[in-house]
Coordinates of all heavy atoms in Angstrom, one line a residue:
M18 N 0.8 19.5 49.9 CA 1.1 18.3 49.3 C 1.5 18.6 47.8 O 0.8 19.3 47.1 CB 0.0 17.3 49.4 CG 0.2 16.0 48.7 SD -1.3 15.0 48.9 CE -0.5 13.5 49.3
H19 N 2.5 18.0 47.3 CA 3.0 18.2 46.0 C 3.2 16.8 45.4 O 4.0 16.0 45.9 CB 4.3 19.0 46.0 CG 4.8 19.3 44.6 ND1 4.2 20.3 43.8 CD2 5.8 18.9 43.9 CE1 4.8 20.4 42.7 NE2 5.8 19.5 42.7
L20 N 2.6 16.6 44.2 CA 2.8 15.3 43.5 C 3.4 15.5 42.2 O 3.2 16.5 41.5 CB 1.4 14.6 43.3 CG 0.6 14.3 44.5 CD1 -0.8 13.8 44.1 CD2 1.3 13.2 45.3
K21 N 4.3 14.6 41.8 CA 4.9 14.5 40.5 C 4.6 13.2 39.9 O 4.7 12.2 40.5 CB 6.5 14.7 40.6 CG 6.9 16.1 40.7 CD 8.4 16.1 40.6 CE 8.9 17.6 40.5 NZ 10.4 17.6 40.3
T22 N 4.3 13.2 38.6 CA 4.0 12.0 37.9 C 4.7 12.0 36.6 O 4.8 13.0 35.9 CB 2.5 11.9 37.6 OG1 1.8 12.0 38.8 CG2 2.1 10.6 36.9
K23 N 5.4 10.9 36.3 CA 6.0 10.7 35.0 C 5.1 9.9 34.1 O 4.6 8.8 34.5 CB 7.3 9.9 35.1 CG 8.4 10.8 35.7 CD 9.7 10.0 35.6 CE 10.9 10.9 36.1 NZ 12.2 10.2 36.0
I24 N 4.8 10.4 32.9 CA 3.9 9.7 32.0 C 4.8 9.2 30.8 O 5.4 10.0 30.1 CB 2.8 10.6 31.5 CG1 2.0 11.1 32.6 CG2 2.0 9.9 30.4 CD1 1.0 12.2 32.3
P25 N 4.9 7.9 30.7 CA 5.7 7.4 29.6 C 5.0 7.6 28.2 O 3.8 7.5 28.1 CB 5.8 5.9 29.9 CG 4.6 5.6 30.7 CD 4.3 6.8 31.5
L26 N 5.8 8.0 27.3 CA 5.2 8.3 25.9 C 5.7 7.2 25.0 O 6.9 7.0 24.9 CB 5.6 9.7 25.4 CG 5.2 10.9 26.2 CD1 5.8 12.2 25.7 CD2 3.7 10.9 26.2
A27 N 4.8 6.7 24.2 CA 5.2 5.7 23.2 C 5.2 6.5 21.9 O 4.2 7.0 21.4 CB 4.2 4.6 23.1
V28 N 6.4 6.6 21.3 CA 6.5 7.4 20.0 C 6.8 6.4 18.9 O 7.8 5.6 19.0 CB 7.6 8.4 20.1 CG1 7.8 9.1 18.8 CG2 7.3 9.4 21.2
D29 N 6.0 6.4 17.9 CA 6.2 5.5 16.8 C 6.8 6.3 15.6 O 6.4 7.5 15.5 CB 4.9 4.8 16.4 CG 5.2 3.7 15.3 OD1 6.2 3.0 15.4 OD2 4.4 3.6 14.4
A30 N 7.6 5.7 14.8 CA 8.1 6.4 13.6 C 7.9 5.5 12.4 O 7.6 4.3 12.6 CB 9.6 6.7 13.8
N31 N 8.0 6.0 11.3 CA 7.9 5.2 10.1 C 9.2 4.5 9.8 O 10.0 4.8 8.9 CB 7.5 6.1 8.9 CG 7.1 5.3 7.7 OD1 6.9 4.1 7.8 ND2 7.0 6.0 6.6
D32 N 9.5 3.5 10.6 CA 10.8 2.8 10.6 C 10.7 1.4 10.0 O 11.7 0.7 9.9 CB 11.4 2.8 12.0 CG 10.5 2.1 13.0 OD1 9.3 1.9 12.7 OD2 10.9 2.0 14.2
N33 N 9.5 0.9 9.7 CA 9.4 -0.4 9.0 C 9.0 -0.2 7.6 O 8.1 0.5 7.3 CB 8.4 -1.2 9.8 CG 8.8 -1.6 11.2 OD1 9.8 -2.3 11.3 ND2 8.0 -1.2 12.2
T34 N 9.7 -0.9 6.7 CA 9.4 -0.9 5.3 C 8.3 -1.8 5.0 O 8.2 -3.0 5.5 CB 10.7 -1.3 4.5 OG1 11.7 -0.5 4.8 CG2 10.4 -1.3 3.0
P35 N 7.3 -1.4 4.2 CA 6.2 -2.3 3.8 C 6.7 -3.5 3.1 O 7.7 -3.4 2.3 CB 5.3 -1.5 2.9 CG 5.6 -0.1 3.3 CD 7.1 -0.1 3.7
T36 N 6.1 -4.7 3.3 CA 6.6 -5.9 2.6 C 5.4 -6.4 1.7 O 4.2 -6.3 2.2 CB 7.0 -7.0 3.5 OG1 6.0 -7.2 4.5 CG2 8.3 -6.6 4.3
F37 N 5.7 -6.8 0.5 CA 4.7 -7.4 -0.4 C 4.8 -8.9 -0.3 O 5.9 -9.4 -0.3 CB 4.9 -6.9 -1.8 CG 4.5 -5.4 -2.0 CD1 5.4 -4.4 -1.7 CD2 3.3 -5.1 -2.5 CE1 5.1 -3.1 -1.9 CE2 2.9 -3.8 -2.7 CZ 3.8 -2.8 -2.4
A38 N 3.6 -9.5 -0.4 CA 3.6 -11.0 -0.5 C 2.7 -11.4 -1.6 O 1.5 -11.2 -1.5 CB 3.1 -11.6 0.9
P39 N 3.2 -11.9 -2.7 CA 4.6 -12.1 -3.0 C 5.4 -10.9 -3.3 O 4.7 -9.8 -3.4 CB 4.5 -13.1 -4.2 CG 3.3 -12.7 -4.9 CD 2.3 -12.3 -3.8
S40 N 6.7 -11.0 -3.5 CA 7.5 -9.8 -3.8 C 7.3 -9.3 -5.2 O 7.7 -8.1 -5.5 CB 8.9 -10.0 -3.4 OG 9.4 -11.1 -4.2
Q41 N 6.9 -10.1 -6.1 CA 6.6 -9.7 -7.5 C 5.3 -10.2 -8.0 O 4.8 -11.2 -7.5 CB 7.7 -10.3 -8.4 CG 9.1 -9.8 -8.2 CD 10.1 -10.4 -9.2 OE1 9.8 -11.3 -9.9 NE2 11.2 -9.7 -9.3
Y42 N 4.7 -9.4 -8.8 CA 3.3 -9.7 -9.3 C 3.3 -9.8 -10.9 O 4.1 -9.0 -11.5 CB 2.3 -8.7 -8.9 CG 2.0 -8.7 -7.4 CD1 2.8 -8.0 -6.5 CD2 0.9 -9.4 -6.9 CE1 2.5 -8.1 -5.2 CE2 0.7 -9.5 -5.6 CZ 1.5 -8.8 -4.7 OH 1.2 -8.8 -3.4
S43 N 2.5 -10.7 -11.4 CA 2.3 -10.7 -12.9 C 0.8 -10.8 -13.1 O 0.1 -11.5 -12.4 CB 2.9 -12.0 -13.5 OG 4.3 -12.0 -13.4
F44 N 0.4 -10.0 -14.1 CA -1.0 -10.0 -14.4 C -1.2 -10.3 -15.9 O -0.4 -9.8 -16.7 CB -1.7 -8.6 -14.1 CG -1.6 -8.2 -12.7 CD1 -0.7 -7.2 -12.3 CD2 -2.3 -8.9 -11.7 CE1 -0.7 -6.8 -11.0 CE2 -2.2 -8.5 -10.4 CZ -1.4 -7.5 -10.0
F45 N -2.2 -11.1 -16.3 CA -2.4 -11.4 -17.6 C -3.7 -10.7 -18.0 O -4.7 -10.8 -17.4 CB -2.5 -12.9 -17.8 CG -1.2 -13.6 -17.5 CD1 -1.0 -14.1 -16.3 CD2 -0.2 -13.7 -18.5 CE1 0.2 -14.7 -16.0 CE2 1.0 -14.3 -18.2 CZ 1.2 -14.8 -16.9
V46 N -3.7 -10.0 -19.1 CA -4.8 -9.2 -19.6 C -5.3 -9.6 -21.0 O -4.5 -9.7 -21.9 CB -4.5 -7.7 -19.6 CG1 -5.7 -6.8 -20.1 CG2 -3.9 -7.2 -18.3
S47 N -6.6 -9.9 -21.1 CA -7.1 -10.3 -22.4 C -7.1 -9.1 -23.3 O -7.2 -8.0 -22.9 CB -8.6 -10.7 -22.2 OG -9.2 -10.8 -23.5
Y48 N -6.8 -9.4 -24.6 CA -6.8 -8.3 -25.6 C -8.1 -7.6 -25.6 O -8.2 -6.4 -26.0 CB -6.4 -9.0 -26.9 CG -6.4 -8.0 -28.1 CD1 -5.3 -7.2 -28.3 CD2 -7.5 -7.9 -28.9 CE1 -5.3 -6.3 -29.3 CE2 -7.5 -7.0 -30.0 CZ -6.4 -6.2 -30.2 OH -6.4 -5.3 -31.2
Y49 N -9.2 -8.3 -25.3 CA -10.5 -7.7 -25.4 C -11.0 -7.1 -24.1 O -12.1 -6.6 -24.1 CB -11.5 -8.8 -25.9 CG -11.1 -9.4 -27.2 CD1 -10.5 -10.6 -27.3 CD2 -11.4 -8.7 -28.4 CE1 -10.2 -11.2 -28.5 CE2 -11.0 -9.2 -29.6 CZ -10.4 -10.5 -29.6 OH -10.0 -11.0 -30.9
A50 N -10.2 -7.1 -23.1 CA -10.6 -6.5 -21.8 C -10.8 -5.0 -22.0 O -10.0 -4.3 -22.6 CB -9.6 -6.7 -20.8
G51 N -11.8 -4.4 -21.4 CA -12.1 -3.0 -21.5 C -11.6 -2.2 -20.4 O -11.1 -2.8 -19.4
A52 N -11.7 -0.9 -20.5 CA -11.3 0.0 -19.4 C -12.0 -0.3 -18.1 O -13.2 -0.8 -18.1 CB -11.5 1.4 -19.8
A53 N -11.4 -0.2 -17.0 CA -11.9 -0.5 -15.6 C -12.0 -2.0 -15.3 O -12.4 -2.3 -14.3 CB -13.2 0.2 -15.4
T54 N -11.5 -2.8 -16.2 CA -11.4 -4.2 -15.9 C -10.4 -4.5 -14.8 O -9.2 -4.1 -15.0 CB -11.1 -5.1 -17.2 OG1 -12.1 -4.9 -18.2 CG2 -11.0 -6.6 -16.8
V55 N -10.8 -5.1 -13.7 CA -9.8 -5.5 -12.7 C -9.0 -6.7 -13.2 O -9.6 -7.7 -13.5 CB -10.5 -5.8 -11.4 CG1 -9.6 -6.3 -10.3 CG2 -11.3 -4.6 -10.9
V56 N -7.7 -6.5 -13.1 CA -6.8 -7.6 -13.6 C -6.1 -8.3 -12.5 O -5.4 -9.3 -12.7 CB -5.8 -7.1 -14.7 CG1 -6.5 -6.6 -15.9 CG2 -4.9 -6.0 -14.1
G57 N -6.2 -7.9 -11.3 CA -5.6 -8.5 -10.1 C -5.5 -7.6 -8.9 O -6.2 -6.6 -8.9
S58 N -4.8 -8.0 -8.0 CA -4.6 -7.2 -6.8 C -3.2 -7.4 -6.2 O -2.6 -8.4 -6.4 CB -5.7 -7.5 -5.7 OG -5.6 -8.8 -5.3
V59 N -2.8 -6.4 -5.4 CA -1.5 -6.5 -4.7 C -1.8 -6.4 -3.2 O -2.8 -5.8 -2.8 CB -0.5 -5.4 -5.1 CG1 -0.1 -5.6 -6.6 CG2 -1.1 -4.0 -4.9
T60 N -0.9 -7.0 -2.4 CA -1.1 -6.9 -0.9 C 0.2 -6.6 -0.3 O 1.3 -7.2 -0.6 CB -1.6 -8.3 -0.4 OG1 -2.8 -8.6 -1.1 CG2 -1.8 -8.2 1.1
A61 N 0.2 -5.7 0.6 CA 1.4 -5.3 1.4 C 1.1 -5.2 2.9 O -0.1 -4.9 3.2 CB 2.0 -4.0 0.9
N62 N 2.0 -5.4 3.7 CA 1.8 -5.2 5.2 C 2.9 -4.3 5.7 O 4.1 -4.3 5.2 CB 1.9 -6.5 5.9 CG 0.8 -7.4 5.5 OD1 -0.4 -7.0 5.6 ND2 1.1 -8.7 5.1
D63 N 2.5 -3.4 6.7 CA 3.5 -2.5 7.3 C 3.3 -2.7 8.8 O 2.2 -2.5 9.3 CB 3.2 -1.1 6.9 CG 4.3 -0.1 7.3 OD1 4.9 -0.3 8.4 OD2 4.6 0.8 6.5
L64 N 4.4 -3.0 9.5 CA 4.3 -3.2 10.9 C 4.3 -2.0 11.8 O 4.1 -2.1 13.0 CB 5.6 -4.1 11.3 CG 5.6 -5.5 10.7 CD1 6.9 -6.2 11.2 CD2 4.4 -6.3 11.1
D65 N 4.4 -0.8 11.2 CA 4.2 0.4 11.9 C 2.8 0.6 12.4 O 1.9 0.1 11.8 CB 4.6 1.7 11.1 CG 6.1 1.7 10.8 OD1 6.9 1.4 11.7 OD2 6.5 2.1 9.7
T66 N 2.6 1.3 13.5 CA 1.3 1.5 14.1 C 0.7 2.9 13.7 O 1.4 3.8 13.3 CB 1.4 1.4 15.6 OG1 2.3 2.4 16.1 CG2 1.8 0.1 16.1
G67 N -0.6 3.0 13.9 CA -1.2 4.3 13.6 C -1.1 4.6 12.1 O -1.1 3.8 11.2
S68 N -1.1 5.9 11.8 CA -1.1 6.4 10.5 C 0.2 6.0 9.8 O 0.3 6.0 8.5 CB -1.3 7.9 10.4 OG -0.3 8.6 11.1
W69 N 1.3 5.7 10.5 CA 2.6 5.3 9.9 C 2.4 3.9 9.2 O 3.1 3.6 8.3 CB 3.7 5.2 11.0 CG 4.1 6.5 11.6 CD1 3.8 6.9 12.9 CD2 4.8 7.5 11.0 NE1 4.3 8.1 13.1 CE2 4.9 8.6 11.9 CE3 5.3 7.7 9.7 CZ2 5.5 9.8 11.6 CZ3 5.9 8.9 9.4 CH2 6.0 9.9 10.4
G70 N 1.4 3.2 9.6 CA 1.2 1.9 9.0 C 0.2 1.9 7.9 O 0.0 0.8 7.3
D71 N -0.4 3.0 7.6 CA -1.3 3.1 6.5 C -0.6 3.0 5.2 O 0.5 3.5 5.0 CB -2.1 4.5 6.5 CG -3.0 4.6 7.7 OD1 -3.3 3.6 8.3 OD2 -3.4 5.7 8.0
L72 N -1.2 2.3 4.2 CA -0.5 2.0 3.0 C -1.2 2.8 1.8 O -2.5 2.8 1.8 CB -0.5 0.5 2.6 CG 0.3 -0.3 3.6 CD1 0.1 -1.8 3.3 CD2 1.8 0.0 3.4
T73 N -0.5 3.3 0.9 CA -1.0 3.9 -0.3 C -0.3 3.2 -1.5 O 1.0 3.2 -1.5 CB -0.7 5.4 -0.3 OG1 -1.3 6.0 0.8 CG2 -1.3 6.0 -1.6
Y74 N -1.0 2.7 -2.4 CA -0.4 2.0 -3.6 C -0.3 3.0 -4.7 O -1.2 3.7 -5.0 CB -1.2 0.8 -4.0 CG -1.4 -0.2 -2.9 CD1 -2.5 -0.3 -2.1 CD2 -0.4 -1.2 -2.7 CE1 -2.6 -1.3 -1.1 CE2 -0.5 -2.2 -1.8 CZ -1.6 -2.2 -1.0 OH -1.7 -3.2 0.0
T75 N 0.8 2.9 -5.4 CA 1.0 3.7 -6.7 C 1.8 2.8 -7.7 O 2.5 1.9 -7.3 CB 1.8 5.0 -6.4 OG1 3.1 4.7 -5.9 CG2 1.1 5.9 -5.5
L76 N 1.6 3.2 -8.9 CA 2.3 2.5 -10.0 C 3.2 3.6 -10.7 O 2.8 4.6 -11.0 CB 1.4 1.9 -11.1 CG 0.5 0.8 -10.6 CD1 -0.6 0.5 -11.6 CD2 1.3 -0.4 -10.3
D77 N 4.5 3.2 -10.9 CA 5.4 4.2 -11.5 C 5.5 4.0 -13.0 O 5.5 5.0 -13.7 CB 6.8 4.1 -10.8 CG 6.8 4.6 -9.4 OD1 6.0 5.4 -9.1 OD2 7.7 4.1 -8.7
Q78 N 5.7 2.8 -13.5 CA 6.1 2.6 -14.9 C 5.0 2.4 -15.8 O 5.1 2.6 -17.0 CB 7.1 1.5 -15.0 CG 8.4 1.7 -14.2 CD 9.3 0.5 -14.2 OE1 9.0 -0.5 -14.7 NE2 10.5 0.7 -13.7
V79 N 3.8 1.9 -15.4 CA 2.7 1.6 -16.2 C 1.5 2.4 -15.9 O 0.4 2.0 -16.2 CB 2.4 0.1 -16.2 CG1 3.5 -0.8 -16.8 CG2 2.1 -0.4 -14.8
R80 N 1.7 3.6 -15.4 CA 0.6 4.4 -15.0 C -0.4 4.7 -16.1 O -1.6 4.8 -15.8 CB 1.2 5.7 -14.5 CG 0.2 6.5 -13.6 CD 0.9 7.7 -13.0 NE 2.2 7.4 -12.6 CZ 3.2 8.3 -12.3 NH1 2.9 9.6 -12.5 NH2 4.4 8.0 -11.9
R81 N 0.0 4.8 -17.3 CA -1.0 5.1 -18.4 C -1.8 3.9 -18.8 O -2.8 4.0 -19.5 CB -0.3 5.7 -19.6 CG 0.7 4.8 -20.2 CD 1.6 5.5 -21.3 NE 2.7 4.7 -21.7 CZ 2.6 3.8 -22.7 NH1 1.6 3.8 -23.5 NH2 3.7 3.1 -23.0
L82 N -1.4 2.7 -18.4 CA -2.1 1.5 -18.7 C -2.9 0.9 -17.6 O -4.0 0.3 -17.8 CB -1.1 0.4 -19.2 CG -0.3 0.8 -20.4 CD1 0.7 -0.3 -20.6 CD2 -1.2 1.0 -21.6
L83 N -2.4 1.1 -16.4 CA -3.0 0.5 -15.2 C -3.2 1.5 -14.1 O -2.4 2.4 -14.0 CB -2.2 -0.7 -14.6 CG -1.9 -1.8 -15.6 CD1 -0.9 -2.8 -15.0 CD2 -3.2 -2.6 -15.8
S84 N -4.2 1.3 -13.2 CA -4.4 2.0 -12.0 C -4.5 1.1 -10.9 O -4.9 0.0 -11.0 CB -5.8 2.8 -12.1 OG -5.7 3.8 -13.1
V85 N -4.0 1.5 -9.7 CA -4.1 0.7 -8.5 C -4.9 1.5 -7.5 O -4.7 2.7 -7.3 CB -2.7 0.3 -7.9 CG1 -1.9 1.5 -7.6 CG2 -2.9 -0.7 -6.8
F86 N -5.9 0.9 -6.9 CA -6.8 1.5 -6.0 C -6.4 1.3 -4.5 O -5.6 0.5 -4.2 CB -8.3 1.0 -6.3 CG -8.7 1.4 -7.6 CD1 -8.6 0.5 -8.7 CD2 -9.2 2.6 -7.9 CE1 -9.0 0.8 -10.0 CE2 -9.6 3.0 -9.2 CZ -9.5 2.0 -10.2
L87 N -7.1 2.0 -3.6 CA -6.8 2.0 -2.2 C -6.5 0.6 -1.6 O -5.6 0.4 -0.9 CB -7.9 2.8 -1.5 CG -7.7 2.9 0.1 CD1 -6.5 3.7 0.4 CD2 -8.9 3.5 0.7
H88 N -7.4 -0.3 -1.9 CA -7.3 -1.6 -1.3 C -6.4 -2.6 -2.2 O -6.4 -3.8 -1.9 CB -8.6 -2.2 -1.1 CG -9.4 -1.4 -0.1 ND1 -9.1 -1.3 1.3 CD2 -10.4 -0.6 -0.2 CE1 -9.9 -0.5 1.9 NE2 -10.7 -0.1 1.0
G89 N -5.7 -2.1 -3.1 CA -4.7 -2.9 -3.9 C -5.2 -3.5 -5.2 O -4.5 -4.3 -5.8
F90 N -6.5 -3.2 -5.6 CA -7.0 -3.7 -6.8 C -6.3 -3.0 -8.0 O -6.2 -1.8 -8.0 CB -8.5 -3.6 -6.9 CG -9.2 -4.4 -5.9 CD1 -9.8 -3.8 -4.8 CD2 -9.3 -5.8 -6.1 CE1 -10.5 -4.6 -3.8 CE2 -10.0 -6.6 -5.2 CZ -10.5 -6.0 -4.0
V91 N -5.9 -3.8 -9.0 CA -5.3 -3.2 -10.2 C -6.2 -3.4 -11.3 O -6.8 -4.4 -11.6 CB -3.9 -4.0 -10.5 CG1 -3.3 -3.4 -11.7 CG2 -3.0 -3.9 -9.3
A92 N -6.5 -2.2 -12.1 CA -7.4 -2.2 -13.2 C -6.8 -1.5 -14.4 O -5.9 -0.7 -14.2 CB -8.7 -1.6 -12.8
L93 N -7.4 -1.8 -15.5 CA -7.0 -1.2 -16.8 C -7.5 0.3 -16.8 O -8.6 0.5 -16.3 CB -7.5 -1.9 -18.0 CG -7.1 -3.3 -18.2 CD1 -7.8 -3.9 -19.4 CD2 -5.6 -3.3 -18.5
T94 N -6.7 1.2 -17.3 CA -7.2 2.6 -17.4 C -7.7 2.9 -18.7 O -8.5 3.8 -18.9 CB -6.1 3.6 -17.0 OG1 -5.0 3.3 -17.9 CG2 -5.6 3.5 -15.6
S95 N -7.3 2.2 -19.8 CA -7.8 2.4 -21.1 C -7.8 1.1 -21.9 O -7.3 0.1 -21.5 CB -7.0 3.5 -21.8 OG -5.6 3.1 -21.9

C-alpha cells in the first residue's frame, strides 16, 4: 500500500504596512518635566501574522530628546 498526502502550507509575508491611529501625534511637554517623564504614547496595528506582525517603534528626527519604548510610550531622554 502506498499513500500520498498533500499538505497545504500557509506562507505569510511582510506585505501589510503598519497603520497608526491617529496618523499624526502631538505631545506637549512642560518646561519643568524631567528626564524619563512619559509625555504620551503611539499606537500602530499590523495585519500580518506571526513575527511579521510584531511592531518596533523608533524615532528618527527627535532621538536626542525623546525615546519610544516597546509598547509605544514616549518619554523625555534628557
Side-chain angles (χ1 to χ4, degrees):
M18 178 181 222
H19 184 72
L20 297 174
K21 276 190 172 180
T22 303
K23 285 188 177 182
I24 300 173
L26 298 175
V28 177
D29 188 38
N31 193 11
D32 55 353
N33 292 300
T34 303
T36 56
F37 286 85
S40 61
Q41 293 183 345
Y42 290 85
S43 295
F44 300 111
F45 297 95
V46 180
S47 167
Y48 178 79
Y49 300 102
T54 299
V55 175
V56 296
S58 63
V59 295
T60 303
N62 294 309
D63 190 325
L64 296 177
D65 289 321
T66 58
S68 63
W69 293 109
D71 293 344
L72 296 171
T73 301
Y74 298 97
T75 59
L76 294 170
D77 289 335
Q78 297 176 353
V79 292
R80 197 175 317 162
R81 62 189 170 93
L82 301 174
L83 298 170
S84 294
V85 61
F86 297 95
L87 180 64
H88 297 290
F90 293 107
V91 178
L93 297 175
T94 55
S95 57

